[in-house]
Amino acid sequence: TSTPTTAPPVYAFGCGHCHPLDQVKHLDGAVEVEVYDAAAPAGSLKARASPAAAYSGGLDGTCSGTYCHSSGQETPSWTKPRDGAAIASPAWSSGQSLGCTGCHDNPPAYPSGGPGAPDANGHVGLRDDGYVWGHFGGLPGPSLYSKHGKLGFGDDASPITCQTCHVDTVDPANTGPSAFYYLDTTGDYTFGGGVLDDACAVCHTGGGATTGTGRILPLRHVNGTRDVVFDARTSLPQGISWLPAAPNRPSRPYWASNASLSSYPPDTSGFDGTTFSLTLGASGVTPAASYDAPTKTCSSVACHLDSTGPVWGTGYATSGPASGCADCHHF
């Protein structure tokens, strides 16, 4: 049985993904393309396509409404997250290869359907006061500005990337200069109308694509399932030049410098001088970090401190009972 890392590094879709499953339609003198079938096996890409999914026909035809060219939402929304244009495949004869932005954008920014909803999204968004919030914002969290990239202010924090929560999906050989994090700097980090909206875009300009950008393991990508597996590594590699200096050098793979906590640090985290260092999904740790797909709830994930269980897609407000503070702290 192939594992994500031993399987061939190419997509291999069976004929039935794009052609009729009904054998009567085989060898009938017609080349038929059928990208949705209500009778397709539950959970298959064909069953997850929009009932209106179609192929426009001919060698230059395009697909629309297909799960494999969508944002991957459980309740499919066949629109691009930010510009409203329909997600459509390249022409069949174009030879074009799609990157992350061809389907769900990088970072994924489709509108959230709400906490725990089938189309929930917590990758990135705007708070009610216009500041960017979400996991791609990085540590220390949505209630304060991210310290990632703030070297000029004496602050720093690790990036939070696809690898953090989808470590079995990204290609472990596709890393950035640290040789540790999966890194893709070619995304669109201007979110439209937000306060300090250009803060991320100062560095993440979308130009100068890195070698191997967006490489994933096909067995765990475009498979009809959002595989959530937390990064289990426990230590840093050697030779990263931009880490805080001793005694504040982090000892774990995720960190935020000049940190202070009002909650008790989880067992998979601790302080190195004034730097708060975290490990997320380490094996052998009790309780282990986990994600419950039916309720979209995380448990024992160190970056949420002592929260009893943050729910994916919970919007971040800055006032009122839904302030979002419970994402990390008890009340």
Side-chain angles (χ1 to χ4, degrees):
T1 301
S2 293
T3 67
T5 53
T6 61
V10 294
Y11 288 111
F13 297 116
C15 305
H17 283 295
C18 303
H19 297 287
L21 300 174
D22 186 354
Q23 294 187 15
V24 174
K25 296 182 178 181
H26 192 235
L27 296 176
D28 61 355
V31 178
E32 299 179 65
V33 177
E34 181 184 80
V35 288
Y36 172 75
D37 183 349
S44 66
L45 302 187
K46 198 162 193 168
R48 291 185 181 278
S50 166
Y55 179 70
S56 63
L59 290 178
D60 292 326
T62 61
C63 291
S64 60
T66 57
Y67 179 88
C68 37
H69 289 286
S70 76
S71 63
Q73 291 170 262
E74 218 167 287
T75 299
S77 174
W78 311 110
T79 58
K80 291 284 282 181
R82 299 180 202 164
D83 61 19
I87 295 177
S89 66
W92 179 253
S93 59
S94 70
Q96 179 183 350
S97 296
L98 294 179
C100 304
T101 57
C103 295
H104 52 60
D105 279 357
N106 178 35
Y110 55 85
S112 177
D119 54 351
N121 183 26
H123 291 102
V124 72
L126 292 177
R127 305 191 320 185
D128 61 355
D129 60 359
Y131 284 87
V132 174
W133 74 278
H135 291 71
F136 266 76
L139 295 168
S143 61
L144 299 169
Y145 70 89
S146 172
K147 294 185 177 183
H148 176 59
K150 301 291 182 180
L151 294 174
F153 298 90
D155 282 335
D156 188 22
S158 60
I160 293 179
T161 66
C162 309
Q163 184 176 22
T164 303
C165 303
H166 302 285
V167 70
D168 276 6
T169 302
V170 300
D171 185 344
N174 185 43
T175 57
S178 68
F180 194 78
Y181 297 103
Y182 167 86
L183 189 66
D184 183 344
T185 62
T186 60
D188 178 3
Y189 294 86
T190 301
F191 302 106
V195 179
L196 300 177
D197 195 30
D198 62 348
C200 298
V202 169
C203 297
H204 297 278
T205 62
T210 55
T211 301
T213 290
R215 277 169 43 196
I216 44 73
L217 302 175
L219 196 64
R220 290 286 175 83
H221 192 241
V222 195
N223 62 356
T225 302
R226 286 155 300 284
D227 297 290
V228 177
V229 179
F230 296 106
D231 188 351
R233 289 169 292 186
T234 59
S235 60
L236 287 165
Q238 300 299 311
I240 304 177
S241 61
W242 47 272
L243 292 175
N248 303 316
R249 181 184 176 89
S251 59
R252 295 176 169 92
Y254 298 93
W255 74 89
S257 64
N258 295 327
S260 62
L261 298 180
S262 60
S263 295
Y264 184 77
D267 291 340
T268 54
S269 67
F271 275 90
D272 299 295
T274 61
T275 297
F276 182 48
S277 300
L278 306 87
T279 294
L280 301 184
S283 60
V285 175
T286 304
S290 63
Y291 176 75
D292 182 67
T295 62
K296 298 186 184 296
T297 302
C298 292
S299 299
S300 303
V301 181
C303 46
H304 285 283
L305 302 179
D306 62 356
S307 171
T308 55
V311 178
W312 183 251
T314 302
Y316 198 89
T318 55
S319 61
S323 65
C325 299
D327 288 350
C328 296
H329 310 283
H330 285 306
F331 284 100

